[in-house]
Amino acid sequence: MPGYRGRFAPTPSGPLHFGSLVTALASYLDTRHAGGTWLVRIEDIDPPRCPPGTDTTILRQLEAFGLHWDEEVRYQSTRHEAYQAALEQLAENGLAYPCSCSRKERREYAVYPGWCRSGVRHPGRSLAWRLRSDLGERPIVWQDRLFARQCFDPAELGDVVLKRRDGLWAYQLAVVVDDGDQRINQIVRGTDLLDNTPWQGQLQRALNLPRPHYLHLPLIAAHNGQKLSKQNLAPALPTDDLSVRRFLHEALIALDQAPAPFLNDAPVNEQLSAAIAAWDSNRLQPRMYRTLPHAIRTEK
Ligand code: GLU
C-alpha cells in the first residue's frame, strides 16, 4: 500500500516484555511488507508512572531485535501545546467540558454519569476535562482487520477523561492528536485497546482527522491466564544475541506466521527478512489471548 504509515507507541512504564515484542513485531512486519514507514513514539505523558531511562531501555531492546524505525522518535512529553490546542477546539465545539467530580463521588457508577455536562458541580476544585461522548459521532463502526466489523456506542462507554485533574494529558487525546499529526494510517496494537477505539473515532471526527485502519492483536497471556504486562511484572526482553534469536522466532509463531523451524536460531536479520517477505496478516487467528510459549516461560 503506497503511503502506509505505521507505528509502535509504547508507554515507558517498564521495559518491553514478550507481549510488547509481539505487538511491535506485528506492526513492523505489516509496515515493512507494505513498503511503508514505521515510527516509534514514546507515550510518556504520565511521568510518575515512567521511571527515568526506560525510554532508552525500550529503544535499545527494539534495536537488539532489529526493529529499526524511520524518522525521529517522538516523545509525547514534548507535545503539550498540540494537545492543548486540540482540547480547546473540542471545548469550543461543545464536545469537551470541565469536570470537578472526584473518583470517589462516582464510584458506584460503571461510567461517569455526566454530572458536570451542564456546568461544573463543585467550583473551586481542580478540573479534569471530559469528552461529550453523547454528542459526537455515534455509533462508531469500523472493520477491524482481525476482528471484522466492530460497532460501539461511545455514550455507553462514557465521557472519557481527556485531561486529568492533576493537569496530565490522558491517553485518548494524546494518541489521536499524534496519530493524526504523524499521518499514521495503519494501527496494529493489542486487543486491550479495542474498546478504546470508539472514543478515538469520535475524537478523530471531531478534530477532522482521517480514520486509520485498525488491526487489534491477541494479547499474550502468562501461564496463570493473566495478560502479560508491565503491571504484573512480566520479565523484560533479553538483549543478548542468542536469546534474541529464540524470542524472535517464538514471537513469529505467536503471530501465526509459521516461520521455518530451521530459522529458529538464525541471525536476527535473516529471520526478519524472511518474515517480512512472508508476512500475511490473514494467518492471524482472531482470539483475545494466546498463551506464552513454553520456550519463553523459563526465562528470567
Ligand atoms: N501507549 C499504549 C500502550 O503502551 C499503546 C497506544 C496505542 O497503540 O494506541 O499500551
Side-chain angles (χ1 to χ4, degrees):
M1 178 182 138
Y4 181 124
R5 287 175 69 84
R7 51 53 161 194
F8 175 56
T11 302
S13 53
L16 302 182
H17 51 73
F18 185 74
S20 10
L21 171 63
V22 168
T23 304
L25 183 62
S27 160
Y28 175 87
L29 294 175
D30 199 57
T31 309
R32 290 285 181 253
H33 182 80
T37 302
W38 192 64
L39 308 187
V40 171
R41 184 170 69 227
I42 301 287
E43 302 212 316
D44 55 348
I45 40 177
D46 189 351
R49 274 183 58 215
C50 300
T54 311
D55 57 320
T56 315
T57 307
I58 289 177
L59 297 176
R60 293 298 86 82
Q61 289 176 309
L62 290 172
E63 281 170 339
F65 280 85
L67 304 180
H68 302 292
W69 52 91
D70 310 305
E71 304 185 6
E72 206 180 319
V73 174
R74 170 168 293 189
Y75 284 78
Q76 288 194 322
S77 52
T78 64
R79 299 274 300 149
H80 172 81
E81 280 79 18
Y83 306 147
Q84 188 62 40
L87 182 64
E88 280 165 23
Q89 188 182 334
L90 293 167
E92 273 161 31
N93 294 326
L95 292 169
Y97 63 96
C99 171
S100 61
C101 300
S102 67
R103 204 180 282 264
K104 202 167 144 204
E105 284 161 339
R106 48 147 291 203
R107 138 182 97 188
E108 284 160 32
Y109 299 82
V111 299
Y112 173 65
W115 291 317
C116 288
R117 278 179 180 170
S118 47
V120 168
R121 250 181 142 202
H122 310 279
R125 281 194 189 169
S126 56
L127 298 173
W129 283 80
R130 289 181 182 272
L131 177 70
R132 274 300 290 252
S133 58
D134 57 327
L135 298 184
E137 179 184 348
R138 292 170 61 194
I140 296 286
V141 180
W142 80 95
Q143 201 62 32
D144 194 88
R145 289 174 55 201
L146 185 55
F147 288 92
R149 184 177 184 273
Q150 301 293 312
C151 176
F152 289 84
D153 181 356
E156 284 172 16
L157 301 170
D159 291 354
V160 76
V161 170
L162 302 173
K163 190 179 191 182
R164 297 170 16 176
R165 288 177 75 190
D166 59 9
L168 293 179
W169 293 103
Y171 159 67
Q172 308 298 343
L173 183 70
V175 78
V176 165
V177 170
D178 281 327
D179 282 335
D181 182 66
Q182 297 187 290
R183 292 174 287 115
I184 301 298
N185 49 24
Q186 292 281 345
I187 293 183
V188 177
R189 61 183 181 190
T191 50
D192 52 335
L193 296 170
L194 188 86
D195 64 358
N196 285 220
T197 310
W199 288 310
Q200 295 172 20
Q202 278 197 328
L203 287 168
Q204 285 149 358
R205 167 65 69 92
L207 295 168
N208 283 319
L209 297 169
R211 187 153 303 157
H213 297 277
Y214 289 95
L215 191 170
H216 286 93
L217 295 165
L219 303 174
I220 303 295
H223 289 89
N224 61 9
Q226 279 188 359
K227 177 196 161 209
L228 212 58
S229 72
K230 293 162 191 157
Q231 284 81 348
N232 57 37
L233 303 178
L237 287 175
T239 49
D240 67 281
D241 189 41
L242 274 184
S243 313
V244 164
R245 293 177 188 205
R246 280 200 303 113
F247 271 59
L248 190 54
H249 187 73
E250 292 299 333
L252 289 166
I253 295 173
L255 289 168
D256 303 315
Q257 297 301 299
F262 71 89
L263 286 176
N264 121 63
D265 55 0
V268 166
N269 289 345
E270 228 173 275
Q271 290 197 48
L272 282 179
S273 0
I276 291 169
W279 172 254
D280 182 0
S281 61
N282 293 320
R283 287 210 196 105
L284 283 162
Q285 298 299 312
R287 50 188 155 201
M288 293 306 279
Y289 286 100
R290 213 186 144 129
T291 310
L292 188 65
H294 277 276
I296 301 298
R297 186 189 194 176
T298 51
E299 295 300 315
K300 285 201 295 301

